[in-house]
């Protein structure tokens, strides 16, 4: 039976080296497509939201009450990873992600001609080697744990919100990434 005394709660957090702060993290990419030029000092994300992880199951339909049991069939990551960035005056990140999107799938006006067919890049050249790492940091900036996302690529950007309602607010840019799988080290 758990003991809710101050001493046992303090001992619990001491045994686990305290709480992980949500504002202590870093983001980096490895294996980007050759036409994407990005240095780690160019990345200062405001927020990283790691989406859901779920087990997909199928009913076995065995005789009995109800549908029977659900048997695990696969793992899925339906919501990806949402990263929020500041937009700088030179629009560096918005142009970078536009280039990345066009490397994955371009044509029409993107290719310079409405009559040009859409071109689809090879998966091995654009996605297969790309990794995104989110490091969880301690108070001294050292890495506690890392999420390493494999075969990552952008799939969507959220709308840019320009408005005159709030003074002195900075423009943010959100990019949703999909990935094949991840490791937690």
């Amino acid at each position: 039976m758990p003991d809710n005394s101050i001493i046992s709660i303090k001992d619990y957090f001491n045994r686990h080296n305290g709480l992980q702060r949500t504002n202590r993290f870093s983001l980096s990419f490895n294996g980007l497509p050759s036409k994407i030029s990005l240095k780690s000092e160019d990345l200062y994300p405001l927020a990283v939201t790691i989406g859901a992880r779920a087990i997909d199951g199928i009913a076995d339909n065995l005789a009995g009450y109800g549908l029977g049991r659900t048997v695990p069939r696969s793992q899925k990551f339906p919501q990806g990873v949402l990263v929020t960035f500041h937009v700088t005056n030179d629009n560096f990140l918005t142009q970078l992600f536009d280039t990345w999107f066009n490397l994955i799938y371009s044509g029409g006006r993107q290719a310079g001609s409405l009559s040009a067919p859409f071109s689809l890049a090879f998966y091995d050249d654009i996605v297969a080697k790309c990794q995104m790492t989110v490091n969880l940091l301690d108070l001294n900036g050292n890495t506690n744990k890392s999420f390493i996302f494999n075969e990552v690529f952008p799939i969507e950007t959220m709308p840019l919100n320009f408005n005159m309602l709030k003074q002195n607010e900075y423009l943010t840019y959100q990019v949703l990434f999909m990935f094949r799988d991840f490791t937690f080290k």
Side-chain angles (χ1 to χ4, degrees):
M1 182 152 122
D3 177 13
N4 288 330
S5 71
I6 294 296
I7 293 171
S8 65
I9 293 171
K10 183 179 174 186
D11 287 343
Y12 174 82
F13 289 117
N14 284 337
R15 274 194 321 270
H16 297 283
N17 297 321
L19 294 172
Q20 177 67 47
R21 294 182 182 226
T22 58
N23 64 343
R24 301 282 181 165
F25 67 93
S26 67
L27 176 75
S28 62
F29 289 94
N30 292 319
L32 288 171
S34 60
K35 294 187 180 183
I36 303 292
S37 176
L38 182 65
K39 299 177 219 148
S40 59
E41 59 265 17
D42 290 332
L43 284 177
Y44 289 101
L46 291 171
V48 175
T49 304
I50 299 173
R53 178 180 180 181
I55 298 293
D56 198 11
I58 187 165
D60 63 9
N61 293 323
L62 292 176
Y65 180 73
L67 296 174
R69 64 185 172 191
T70 300
V71 178
R73 186 175 62 119
S74 64
Q75 185 172 192
K76 60 184 178 180
F77 310 99
Q79 297 168 341
V81 178
L82 183 67
V83 182
T84 304
F85 300 98
H86 275 118
V87 176
T88 55
N89 278 333
D90 62 357
N91 285 282
F92 170 75
L93 285 173
T94 54
Q95 291 173 346
L96 178 128
F97 286 109
D98 283 345
T99 301
W100 198 345
F101 273 96
N102 291 337
L103 282 174
I104 295 169
Y105 189 82
S106 65
R109 285 189 175 87
Q110 301 296 332
S113 168
L114 289 176
S115 61
F118 283 84
S119 61
L120 184 61
F122 290 100
Y123 193 83
D124 290 346
D125 298 333
I126 304 297
V127 177
K129 299 173 195 162
C130 191
Q131 288 184 330
M132 179 173 66
T133 303
V134 177
N135 292 316
L136 305 179
L137 307 175
D138 65 13
L139 292 174
N140 296 319
N142 301 317
T143 300
N144 276 339
K145 294 287 180 184
S146 298
F147 286 95
I148 302 169
F149 299 94
N150 300 302
E151 296 184 29
V152 73
F153 60 98
I155 60 167
E156 186 176 356
T157 61
M158 301 305 133
L160 291 171
N161 183 16
F162 300 99
N163 68 62
M164 298 295 287
L165 300 175
K166 297 179 181 176
Q167 298 296 318
N168 297 322
E169 188 170 300
Y170 295 106
L171 184 62
T172 59
Y173 187 64
Q174 294 181 308
V175 182
L176 181 62
F177 292 92
M178 193 50 64
F179 57 94
R180 181 173 184 167
D181 61 9
F182 75 95
T183 55
F184 188 56
K185 293 184 179 182

